[in-house]
Amino acid sequence: MTFLQEWVGQFRTYNRNIKLAILANIFTQIGLGAFMVVYNFYIRALGLPQQVNGEIIALTSLATAIILVPAGIMSDRLGRKKVMAAGVVIGGVILASRSLVELESFLLGTGFATGIALAFFQVSIIPWLAENSGTKQRIHLFSLHSAVMMAANVIGNLLGGVMTDFFSFFMTDLFSIRYTLLFGSLFYFVSIIPIMKMKEKPKEKRNEQENPSIRRFMSKNKTGLKVVALFAVAQLIIGTGSGLVIPYLNLYFADRFQASTSMIGVIIALGQAATALAMFIGPLVVQRLGEVRAVVTLQLLSLPFLLLTAFSTSLWIAAIGFLFRQALMNAGNPIQSSLMMSKVNDSMKGLAHSVNQMVFNLGWAFMGPVSTGIVLKYGSYWGYAHVFSITAGIYLVGSLYFFFVFRSLK
């Protein structure tokens, strides 16, 4: 009861802007959850080769990586609300178009465009929450934000898998997947409603003397930029490992265990639900261990479960390993976000968050084709075993880096 009262009390302290942002995030994540859980199967249903999945994921991540820093600067200069609204409108249209087209070149192009559109919402939400909250609120707020995001993804994953199987009773596999994708696109677009209700103070106009050049900005913010760079290296390492595994989890369960889309949707949804629950425990771990040790401990505890998933021949054992890995590895993300936001001033929050997201997406962009190539070469068992094992090694390096670099950071 004390635990519950603490969270309820925290939520009551949040202003209307924060609550609207959380609601907008719920809509975007339900839409993306339903869309992404079946999109790989859409490529298969079109009769396109497996490599196309890897190419689309790589292009999406590359586009996000390219646009994130400019989007972060736009968010700092133009305002968070405008940038989020533009991203949601454009993103909804692009997701809908991806649900309808069949030409491979157009699928690749819209995959790239999706990465650009999603970046505008993604890069603004964390700075928006930081600017509308106090320092003492942030660890709880970022944990709640991430937990709600995961819970909404759970709903999207479940809806995506179940709707596709339900529609397949009345139509072909291709059209059952297509209707599910359109549903996800619509849900993503609905998030524009709470975004438009947000209230943002207009950005103050600056004259030329107050608007420094890049050289002057870098000279003035040396410490902040150093912190951003240190966090970026950590995110690049983790993103590289993540890019080998996470985009292909639905294919992993389908290829190795011949699981149905409903079963895959349920497993992935449960993984997100477990992550959401773990994120509520994050602040308690921080109170006992401190921010840096909490992140590292959670990440290291996830590695045995990742290896369990890698070598399992049982669907249920693999699913359990996936659930614990997902929960433990991601539970530290809001702690990292809170730590980073506390180390930079408001004028750099958008830039700091965008740089971290950029390098993480670069990891996905580079490793997507590598992962599909390994699986095609070694098959559904040893291919995924190699990929998951490599990821475990990369995660270990990333965790050790984070510990030794940030344990003494003031």
Side-chain angles (χ1 to χ4, degrees):
M1 287 300 296
T2 304
F3 178 77
L4 181 61
Q5 287 171 358
E6 178 185 356
W7 279 98
V8 172
Q10 279 285 331
F11 185 78
R12 286 175 177 168
T13 66
Y14 301 150
N15 63 31
R16 189 168 183 265
N17 276 338
I18 290 176
K19 293 173 182 177
L20 286 169
I22 291 173
L23 182 59
N25 204 33
I26 288 172
F27 284 120
T28 61
Q29 292 304 315
I30 289 176
L32 288 174
F35 190 96
M36 295 304 180
V37 79
V38 297
Y39 193 75
N40 288 347
F41 300 116
Y42 179 62
I43 303 300
R44 282 187 176 181
L46 292 175
L48 297 173
Q50 173 104 336
Q51 294 95 317
V52 175
N53 268 321
E55 291 169 1
I56 291 174
I57 290 168
L59 283 170
T60 303
S61 300
L62 181 62
T64 302
I66 291 170
I67 200 64
L68 270 170
V69 171
I73 295 172
M74 289 173 64
S75 179
D76 287 337
R77 297 287 179 88
L78 302 178
R80 317 292 181 200
K81 178 180 173 179
K82 290 179 182 178
V83 173
M84 283 191 281
V88 164
V89 171
I90 297 170
V93 172
I94 293 171
L95 289 175
S97 68
R98 290 179 70 181
S99 312
L100 299 171
V101 298
E102 299 184 8
L103 189 66
E104 181 179 339
S105 59
F106 198 84
L107 290 170
L108 294 171
T110 51
F112 187 85
T114 300
I116 293 175
L118 298 186
F120 285 98
F121 181 84
Q122 178 183 335
V123 79
S124 299
I125 185 72
I126 292 294
W128 175 267
L129 294 175
E131 290 169 1
N132 282 276
S133 62
T135 304
K136 293 181 179 179
Q137 293 176 311
R138 281 183 193 148
I139 289 181
H140 282 83
L141 174 58
F142 289 169
S143 296
L144 177 65
H145 162 73
S146 298
V148 168
M149 182 169 67
M150 292 294 174
N153 230 277
V154 168
I155 297 171
N157 291 155
L158 287 171
L159 287 173
V162 173
M163 286 177 65
T164 303
D165 280 350
F166 175 75
F167 288 142
S168 67
F169 287 113
F170 310 103
M171 58 192 73
T172 63
D173 288 344
L174 175 60
F175 279 94
S176 65
I177 294 170
R178 178 167 286 163
Y179 282 119
T180 302
L181 294 175
L182 287 170
F183 167 81
S185 307
L186 176 63
F187 232 96
Y188 184 85
F189 189 82
V190 170
S191 63
I192 189 65
I193 297 173
I195 289 174
M196 296 309 296
K197 292 183 178 181
M198 294 175 181
K199 301 292 184 183
E200 183 175 21
K201 293 180 181 179
K203 295 288 182 182
E204 296 180 3
K205 292 184 179 180
R206 301 175 179 177
N207 58 40
E208 291 183 4
Q209 291 181 344
E210 292 175 329
N211 196 6
S213 64
I214 294 176
R215 182 180 297 178
R216 196 182 308 166
F217 174 81
M218 294 180 69
S219 175
K220 185 179 177 181
N221 295 281
K222 283 183 180 179
T223 302
L225 289 171
K226 179 183 176 181
V227 172
V228 171
L230 292 173
F231 273 101
V233 174
Q235 284 296 302
L236 178 61
I237 297 170
I238 297 298
T240 300
S242 177
L244 280 168
V245 169
I246 305 305
Y248 309 102
L249 284 169
N250 53 358
L251 296 179
Y252 160 77
F253 287 111
D255 292 344
R256 184 177 285 190
F257 305 107
Q258 290 74 53
S260 67
T261 51
S262 291
M263 179 60 70
I264 293 168
V266 169
I267 292 172
I268 293 177
L270 288 174
Q272 303 287 60
T275 303
L277 291 174
M279 285 175 175
F280 283 113
I281 301 170
L284 293 177
V285 181
V286 171
Q287 289 174 12
R288 291 183 175 242
L289 301 178
E291 290 172 313
V292 174
R293 290 180 182 274
V295 171
V296 174
T297 300
L298 291 166
Q299 289 181 347
L300 291 178
L301 287 173
S302 75
L303 299 186
F305 296 102
L306 178 60
L307 294 173
L308 179 66
T309 308
F311 294 98
S312 175
T313 56
S314 165
L315 174 61
W316 297 112
I317 293 176
I320 291 169
F322 161 72
L323 296 184
F324 279 94
R325 187 226 72 88
Q326 187 86 345
L328 292 167
M329 189 67 196
N330 291 319
N333 290 344
I335 303 171
Q336 290 188 63
S337 296
S338 174
L339 182 62
M340 181 176 65
M341 290 293 108
S342 69
K343 299 298 182 185
V344 296
N345 60 43
D346 285 352
S347 66
M348 289 185 63
K349 281 181 168 57
L351 176 64
H353 185 59
S354 63
V355 168
N356 273 268
Q357 293 298 309
M358 177 195 71
V359 295
F360 185 86
N361 279 276
L362 279 176
W364 275 45
F366 292 145
M367 303 312 291
V370 174
S371 181
T372 52
I374 292 173
V375 173
L376 285 173
K377 182 176 181 180
Y378 294 102
S380 61
Y381 182 81
W382 284 111
Y384 286 110
H386 288 328
V387 165
F388 281 53
S389 299
I390 294 169
T391 295
I394 295 173
Y395 281 172
L396 177 61
V397 172
S399 299
L400 294 175
Y401 166 86
F402 194 88
F403 176 73
F404 287 112
V405 169
F406 293 105
R407 63 176 176 172
S408 59
L409 184 68
K410 303 299 182 184

